[in-house]
Amino acid sequence: MHIIDSHFHWWPRPFFEDLCRRTEFPRAAVNDLDGYTYMRRAEGGGNIRSWAAWYDLDEQLAHMDGLGHRVDVVSSIGPFSVYFSELEPSHGRDEAMKWNEHMAGAQRAHPGRFWASAAIPLADTGVALEVLEHAVGTLGLMGVNLPGSIGSDPNIDAPRLEPFYARLAELGVPAFLHPTDAVFADMLAGYGGALHLSLGRVIEVSVAASRLVLSGIMERHPGLKLVLSHTGGALPYQSGRMDKNTKNAKLPRPASTYLRRMYTDTVSPHSAGMRFAIEYYGIDNVMYGTDYPCWDPATCLALLDELELPEADRTKLFRTNAIRILGLKGAADAS
């Protein structure tokens, strides 16, 4: 089978080597996993530990080849996307452009096999627009990343960002909404990170997506193409509750109308969650994704087999949805 993994992470090692040279926070340090630990602030909290599998794209693609399928990948930043919005705006712009150059280089090195989305710093709207135009128009990146928060500020629906969302909708490129560790990591600390990783990230991405709905941004910009990570977080399961309790937002339609306009992946470690995501969003709005290297693609494939989907639906889920939704240039011609 020819598969596209819509939720995949590759991080360029030279970028983190540069980050290790910073003497002030946020910065990074080499860890005992042949990766890096990103440290947001001196007092701890919200650190991100990565390991070797994040950094060698050739080895990652070889791992995918070992699944017995041809697997192409769409790379997004993941929780590290918050970094670019925590810096002084001009520095955030420079760092984002440097990251995006690495992504564009990987696209050129692996045409038709690797696509990447851009880092966008959101602390300054003018900078966000500048980086967006450079990433999509100049570098040819296929989409952008939206962190679940702007640093420690959860308000990604800030009115000042309206021109950014308007331009994003006009361009028609996808925005990957992924949680960070900036908002809930301290509140849900302890248990070796189990509480935050299990619930904190799910809550953050759900709140962020809800803000884009309740603020009217999704209503005002119907072309906004939002891809929610992790089968939509908690939103599919609380859709009725949102419709019941969001009347004060004075939207012209129920909140679920906008939620169902979003797209999602299959990153849920049980088949029941995958099945419900497909039932809620519809088979045309769900894409195969594994969160690799955070999750095992072989396990994801096995769980999807439990759903016993019709062959036409499997084709959509594993490949053609991603080509259509994400606008993957060159994918249709790949063998």
Side-chain angles (χ1 to χ4, degrees):
M1 183 186 301
H2 194 162
I3 293 173
I4 295 175
D5 188 338
S6 71
H7 189 153
F8 169 95
H9 303 299
W10 168 69
W11 288 355
R13 190 175 285 275
F15 187 94
F16 282 86
E17 290 173 349
D18 288 345
L19 193 54
C20 287
R21 298 185 184 100
R22 279 180 60 89
T23 57
E24 57 185 347
F25 292 89
R27 60 187 181 88
V30 176
N31 62 30
D32 58 353
L33 303 173
D34 195 24
Y36 305 89
T37 297
Y38 170 68
M39 296 168 284
R40 293 185 61 238
R41 55 185 192 270
E43 63 270 24
N47 292 349
I48 303 171
R49 276 172 59 83
S50 58
W51 51 98
W54 287 77
Y55 297 98
D56 192 319
L57 182 55
D58 290 331
E59 287 192 9
Q60 289 179 310
L61 294 176
H63 180 86
M64 294 295 181
D65 290 339
L67 299 172
H69 305 283
R70 159 69 185 252
V71 184
D72 306 327
V73 298
V74 179
S75 184
S76 58
I77 301 176
F80 182 63
S81 61
V82 71
Y83 165 69
F84 305 95
S85 298
E86 295 202 294
L87 303 171
E88 184 273 330
S90 64
H91 188 195
R93 176 194 60 214
D94 293 345
E95 289 291 276
M97 286 187 171
K98 182 169 68 174
W99 179 279
N100 295 342
E101 290 279 3
H102 283 294
M103 294 297 117
Q107 281 194 165
R108 290 190 298 270
H110 300 277
R113 180 103 202 251
F114 176 92
W115 296 268
S117 47
I120 303 288
L122 298 178
D124 180 273
T125 306
V127 167
L129 285 165
E130 179 185 357
V131 174
L132 170 63
E133 297 293 346
H134 181 258
V136 175
T138 302
L139 297 180
L141 297 182
M142 47 69 61
V144 304
N145 290 269
L146 287 182
S149 61
I150 305 170
S152 297
D153 180 359
N155 297 300
I156 71 164
D157 56 336
R160 67 172 177 80
L161 287 171
E162 189 86 21
F164 169 75
Y165 290 116
R167 182 58 176 152
L168 196 58
E170 184 179 18
L171 289 171
V173 297
F176 294 87
L177 181 55
H178 194 286
T180 71
D181 296 342
V183 176
F184 291 101
D186 293 336
M187 186 187 308
L188 301 177
Y191 311 106
L195 186 57
H196 170 61
L197 293 173
S198 298
L199 291 179
R201 288 183 175 176
V202 171
I203 294 170
E204 186 189 15
V205 76
S206 301
V207 170
S210 297
R211 285 185 173 278
L212 296 177
V213 169
L214 299 178
S215 63
I217 288 173
M218 293 291 293
E219 167 67 24
R220 292 189 294 275
H221 305 291
L224 191 60
K225 189 180 290 186
L226 197 65
V227 181
L228 295 185
S229 56
H230 311 131
T231 59
L235 294 181
Y237 315 96
Q238 299 302 326
S239 177
R241 187 175 180 85
M242 287 191 69
D243 285 347
K244 173 179 176 289
N245 292 312
T246 56
K247 296 180 177 62
N248 289 343
K250 299 180 180 178
L251 296 170
R253 286 174 274 272
S256 59
T257 304
Y258 308 97
L259 297 180
R260 285 191 166 94
R261 259 180 40 202
M262 299 177 184
Y263 305 94
T264 195
D265 55 39
T266 58
V267 181
S268 178
H270 63 149
S271 57
M274 293 174 169
R275 185 185 301 280
F276 187 56
I278 292 170
E279 291 174 354
Y280 181 81
Y281 290 101
I283 187 61
D284 291 329
N285 281 27
V286 183
M287 299 172 284
Y288 172 74
T290 66
D291 207 359
Y292 184 78
C294 294
W295 195 33
D296 174 25
T299 301
C300 183
L301 289 168
L303 290 171
L304 285 168
D305 283 343
E306 292 180 11
L307 303 187
E308 298 182 342
L309 295 172
E311 192 58 34
D313 287 354
R314 286 174 61 85
T315 299
K316 289 181 177 181
L317 184 76
F318 282 112
R319 180 168 172 79
T320 58
N321 282 353
I323 296 172
R324 172 180 52 86
I325 294 167
L326 306 180
L328 301 182
K329 296 179 181 177
D333 298 326
S335 60

